[in-house]
């Protein structure tokens, strides 16, 4: 982001296949592509990032299986985000909102419900098709300055531009931000949501590190980055989705009053040690200890003859399974609500994925919740499993049995 070249090695997770590269049975004997997965930090601006970029066409355009609407928590979050923005900035009905990385169109649907012209932009064919089928206008492409020109010519300037859990996925970020600047109406608002680096470090959310997440944002580097494009970060707000995310409000320079939150967050980030090498080193040590704790818990259960499965197969689950080497020897199968993952195998560990029904049928003793950020909702949905004597394991931040 700052073009600084002095980089500090924080944590080496080893070689990993892309976390969303689920496999069909006929692909199991083929050689999988593995790439380095290492967290580094920039000495100059403090941005946490990974040091190897897998080409986005490898990561996203092949049947990308992430669907943002599959959880109720997620859907409610995006609807309330749309309402927050519309009310908070008194944006008139009929205005254009553009969602970058719109996936199946959940956030667009939120804006549409509030009377907006909602447009999505997403490079994934499968996700975009679902959005279009649901009546959400979607441009199937990566968002950059050229896509911005196209949107501007066809729809005019946007009063709202949103990007949730996508900013950290983009390698050619400069072109994306230039596109945002071009497309944004004079008094318009950009709202970017991304997992917060402070939570990653403090809550030991190291499984959220995977090739799709190129950087792990915080306020200090973000503020100086957008400035380079004539934009201004004027407010930030904490939101609870995905284990703690931050919403960044950005406008054209001088177009919105600068809130105190910016300074407060930056001084808190410094206090928390986000830009301190000693603190980052300590984080890496804790990650190694966490791996040992989780593996010994699982091995102990296996020794006692227990059957263990995994619930949900999110991208982050694959970082955890691959880093901890939890193969089929330990985890019999995974279960999922997302139809497109059922019948496939997890990348790296090759654990088969079934529907949640399989859990009730096979009645394992323990179920490891990989999407721990939705643990409450998952445990509620699967209460039948607990009633039948099953126990849940929540892996992060400290493995615990429920
Ligand atoms: Zn930097």
């Amino acid at each position: 982001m700052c073009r600084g070249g002095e980089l500090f090695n924080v944590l080496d997770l080893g070689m990993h296949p892309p976390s969303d590269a689920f496999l069909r049975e006929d692909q199991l004997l083929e050689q999988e592509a593995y790439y380095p997965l290492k967290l580094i930090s920039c000495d100059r601006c403090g941005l946490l990032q990974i040091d190897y970029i897998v080409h986005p066409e490898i990561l996203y355009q092949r049947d990308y299986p992430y669907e943002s609407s599959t959880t109720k928590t997620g859907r409610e979050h995006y609807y309330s985000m749309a309402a927050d923005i519309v009310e908070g900035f008194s944006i008139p009905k009929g205005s254009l909102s553009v969602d970058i990385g719109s996936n199946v169109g959940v956030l667009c649907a939120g804006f549409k419900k509030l009377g907006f012209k909602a447009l999505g932009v997403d490079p994934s064919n499968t996700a975009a098709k679902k959005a279009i089928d649901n009546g959400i206008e979607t441009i199937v492409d990566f968002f950059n300055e050229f896509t911005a020109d196209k949107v501007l010519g066809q729809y005019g300037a946007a009063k709202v531009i949103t990007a949730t859990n996508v900013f950290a996925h983009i390698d050619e970020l400069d072109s994306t931000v230039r596109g945002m600047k071009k497309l944004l109406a004079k008094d318009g608002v950009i709202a970017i949501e991304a997992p917060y680096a402070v939570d990653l470090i403090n809550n030991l959310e190291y499984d959220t590190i995977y090739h799709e997440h190129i950087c792990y944002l915080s306020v200090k580097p973000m503020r100086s980055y957008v400035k380079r494009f004539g934009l201004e970060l004027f407010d930030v707000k904490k939101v609870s989705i995905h284990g703690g995310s931050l919403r960044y409000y950005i406008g054209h320079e001088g177009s919105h009053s600068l809130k105190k939150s910016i300074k407060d967050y930056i001084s808190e980030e410094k206090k928390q040690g986000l830009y301190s090498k000693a603190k980052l080193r300590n984080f890496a040590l804790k990650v190694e200890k966490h791996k040992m704790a989780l593996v010994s818990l699982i091995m102990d259960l296996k020794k006692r003859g227990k059957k263990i499965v995994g619930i949900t197969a999110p991208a982050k689950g694959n970082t955890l399974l691959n880093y901890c080497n939890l193969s089929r020897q330990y985890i019999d199968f995974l279960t999922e609500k997302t139809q497109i993952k059922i019948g496939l195998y997890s990348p790296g560990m090759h654990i088969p994925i079934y529907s949640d029904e399989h859990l009730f049928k096979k009645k394992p003793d323990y179920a490891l919740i990989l999407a721990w950020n939705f643990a409450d909702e998952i445990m509620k949905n699967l209460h039948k499993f607990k009633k039948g004597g099953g126990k849940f394991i929540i892996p992060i931040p400290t493995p615990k049995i429920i």
Side-chain angles (χ1 to χ4, degrees):
M1 278 183 165
C2 73
R3 296 178 177 155
E6 295 294 315
L7 303 163
F8 168 67
N9 287 332
V10 178
L11 172 68
D12 191 346
L13 292 168
M15 301 287 284
H16 287 244
S19 266
D20 267 317
F22 291 89
L23 304 164
R24 293 187 312 267
E25 194 170 2
D26 63 288
Q27 292 172 311
L28 293 179
L29 293 176
E30 287 168 20
Q31 175 73 50
E32 268 177 289
Y34 274 68
Y35 305 93
L37 188 60
K38 195 201 276 172
L39 186 71
I40 58 173
S41 107
C42 171
D43 273 359
R44 197 201 284 171
C45 73
L47 181 71
L48 283 173
Q49 55 208 287
I50 55 171
D51 75 343
Y52 186 92
I53 309 298
V54 181
H55 199 284
E57 277 174 14
I58 295 174
L59 291 181
Y60 301 109
Q61 278 184 331
R62 256 184 9 182
D63 322 311
Y64 186 56
Y66 177 73
E67 284 189 12
S68 50
S69 68
T70 48
T71 64
K72 188 164 156 264
T73 318
R75 212 165 35 236
E76 279 168 3
H77 170 77
Y78 291 120
Y79 281 11
S80 80
M81 176 178 180
D84 262 15
I85 295 170
V86 173
E87 283 157 27
F89 297 97
S90 319
I91 301 170
K93 277 188 180 174
S95 303
L96 175 68
S97 70
V98 177
D99 187 31
I100 299 169
S102 50
N103 198 267
V104 293
V106 185
L107 183 53
C108 288
F111 279 106
K112 211 174 154 188
K113 262 174 71 174
L114 296 168
F116 272 61
K117 270 192 290 175
L119 176 71
V121 182
D122 199 290
S124 157
N125 285 313
T126 32
K129 192 180 168 294
K130 269 208 170 153
I132 294 165
D133 288 346
N134 290 328
I136 303 295
E137 253 187 277
T138 306
I139 294 178
V140 187
D141 208 344
F142 289 99
F143 182 88
N144 51 35
E145 50 199 307
F146 309 107
T147 330
D149 280 332
K150 214 163 81 180
V151 175
L152 199 58
Q154 221 175 320
Y155 300 85
K159 285 276 193 188
V160 181
I161 299 175
T162 48
T164 63
N165 298 302
V166 64
F167 205 72
H169 292 236
I170 302 168
D171 184 28
E172 303 208 352
L173 209 48
D174 286 9
S175 180
T176 304
V177 178
R178 270 198 294 272
M180 287 176 162
K181 165 87 181 164
K182 267 187 183 172
L183 185 58
L184 188 67
K186 252 189 187 154
D187 56 348
V189 180
I190 299 169
I192 290 168
E193 260 186 30
Y196 190 29
V198 171
D199 295 316
L200 161 68
I201 300 298
N202 286 348
N203 306 335
L204 215 65
E205 297 166 0
Y206 70 90
D207 56 340
T208 62
I209 302 169
Y210 47 88
H211 295 110
E212 287 162 33
H213 292 162
I214 293 167
C215 60
Y216 304 82
L217 294 171
S218 50
V219 180
K220 183 177 164 275
M222 193 67 162
R223 182 182 62 171
S224 52
Y225 178 62
V226 298
K227 213 172 169 177
R228 189 140 67 74
F229 301 89
L231 293 168
E232 187 171 51
L233 176 64
F234 64 87
D235 200 5
V236 284
K237 187 190 161 187
K238 190 91 208 252
V239 288
S240 68
I241 198 159
H242 294 305
S245 286
L246 212 58
R247 186 182 302 158
Y248 301 83
Y249 286 115
I250 296 161
H252 290 293
E253 216 153 30
S255 68
H256 293 271
S257 62
L258 203 59
K259 295 290 186 319
K260 198 173 149 280
S261 58
I262 306 293
K263 271 197 174 144
D264 291 348
Y265 268 86
I266 293 177
S267 67
E268 187 59 26
E269 286 169 0
K270 287 179 182 160
K271 218 167 90 191
Q272 295 287 326
L274 187 60
Y275 309 116
S276 132
K277 286 184 182 169
K279 171 92 185 193
L280 294 174
R281 254 188 226 114
N282 190 37
F283 163 73
L285 274 175
K286 279 195 198 153
V287 170
E288 282 164 32
K289 279 189 190 150
H290 178 272
K291 173 181 178 170
M292 287 192 267
L294 181 63
V295 171
S296 66
L297 170 77
I298 296 219
M299 284 173 71
D300 190 49
L301 293 174
K302 282 311 265 190
K303 257 188 236 159
R304 287 161 40 206
K306 304 294 183 195
K307 269 177 86 84
I308 309 166
V309 303
I311 293 181
T312 62
K316 63 159 138 322
N318 291 320
T319 296
L320 191 78
L321 295 173
N322 287 321
Y323 175 64
C324 295
N325 238 309
L326 294 172
S327 65
R328 265 180 101 164
Q329 217 174 324
Y330 304 100
I331 308 289
D332 295 1
F333 57 84
L334 304 175
T335 69
E336 250 296 331
K337 259 173 74 183
T338 311
Q339 280 299 328
I340 36 180
K341 289 182 189 172
I342 296 169
L344 300 176
Y345 292 78
S346 73
M349 291 295 118
H350 296 183
I351 302 173
I353 302 164
Y354 296 97
S355 75
D356 285 343
E357 281 307 307
H358 209 66
L359 181 73
F360 305 128
K361 220 168 80 191
K362 293 286 174 185
K363 297 191 173 63
D365 302 294
Y366 290 85
L368 177 67
I369 301 182
L370 293 170
W372 47 262
N373 49 324
F374 295 118
D376 290 342
E377 186 183 334
I378 291 166
M379 290 192 289
K380 223 161 81 191
N381 288 343
L382 303 176
H383 67 278
K384 225 166 90 188
F385 167 69
K386 211 176 160 195
K387 245 178 143 179
K391 290 191 171 76
F392 293 107
I393 305 171
I394 299 180
I396 302 280
T398 311
K400 77 174 175 208
I401 294 172
I402 291 181

